[in-house]
């Protein structure tokens, strides 16, 4: 559970990745929002991967959970933060969406903790529902990747 909390902390940091106080002035640049967001992600993803590797190596080998599934959970949480921030930018005029995104991500984490282990995402290795939970985490990752991709481009018409 500690690794999940650390992954949530990293995702909360990524929630502020797309904050742009100059959003209303950069909207007229020839570089579109996907390229600007992609450049920010290109700088953040290697650092986040290095950070996550250091976190995993800090856990003693005797108590370390399976690395693949735990990394899948961390990736899904991080992509969820970016997808929520992308949606907030797409559907609002606010320049800094990190606070609202962090609140939504925290609320989603609390709701996830309330779901029983049989149907939820927070099972432990060795429990009977571990594999099903990992399939749900993979589905969360796929849905969040798709929603981030759909919400990143500029809308065709302004409101």
């Amino acid at each position: 559970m500690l690794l999940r909390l650390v992954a949530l902390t990293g995702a909360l940091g990524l929630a502020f990745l797309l904050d742009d106080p100059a959003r209303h002035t950069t909207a007229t640049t020839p570089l579109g929002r996907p390229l600007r967001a992609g450049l920010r992600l290109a700088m953040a993803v290697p650092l986040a991967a290095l950070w996550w590797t250091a976190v995993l190596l800090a856990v003693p080998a005797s108590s370390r959970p399976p690395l693949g599934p735990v990394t899948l959970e961390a990736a899904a949480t991080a992509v969820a933060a970016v997808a929520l921030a992308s949606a907030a930018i797409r559907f609002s005029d606010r320049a800094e969406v990190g606070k609202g995104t962090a609140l939504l991500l925290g609320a989603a984490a609390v709701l996830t903790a309330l779901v029983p282990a049989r149907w939820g995402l927070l099972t432990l290795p060795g429990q009977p529902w571990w594999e099903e939970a990992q399939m749900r985490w993979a589905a969360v990752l796929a849905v969040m990747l798709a929603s981030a991709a759909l919400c990143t481009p500029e809308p065709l018409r302004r409101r």
Side-chain angles (χ1 to χ4, degrees):
M1 282 305 219
L2 185 61
L3 280 176
R4 288 177 174 151
L5 289 174
V6 172
L8 179 62
T9 304
L12 289 173
L14 287 176
F16 294 89
L17 182 68
L18 299 179
D19 279 4
D20 186 6
R23 174 182 176 194
H24 301 295
T25 58
T26 59
T28 60
T29 62
L31 302 175
R33 187 186 313 157
L35 183 60
R36 292 191 311 266
L39 290 173
R40 288 179 183 202
L41 284 170
M43 290 188 299
V45 167
L47 292 174
L50 182 65
W51 170 77
W52 183 247
T53 303
V55 166
L56 289 177
L57 292 176
V59 175
S62 61
S63 63
R64 190 177 299 152
L67 299 181
V70 173
T71 303
L72 172 69
E73 294 176 15
T77 308
V79 171
V82 174
L84 287 171
S86 296
I89 288 172
R90 172 94 182 205
F91 298 113
S92 75
D93 288 333
R94 294 181 310 176
E96 296 178 2
V97 295
K99 289 179 191 175
T101 300
L103 286 173
L104 280 173
L105 194 62
V110 168
L111 288 174
T112 301
L114 296 176
V115 175
R118 180 180 182 128
W119 300 291
L121 296 169
L122 301 179
T123 59
L124 297 174
Q127 286 184 331
W129 305 290
W130 171 252
E131 280 123 19
E132 289 87 2
Q134 295 309 307
M135 296 299 287
R136 287 189 285 271
W137 275 111
V140 167
L141 178 62
V143 167
M144 290 297 131
L145 279 171
S147 65
L150 289 173
C151 290
T152 299
E154 301 268 358
L156 296 177
R157 284 186 249 152
R158 297 197 186 267
R159 282 176 259 132

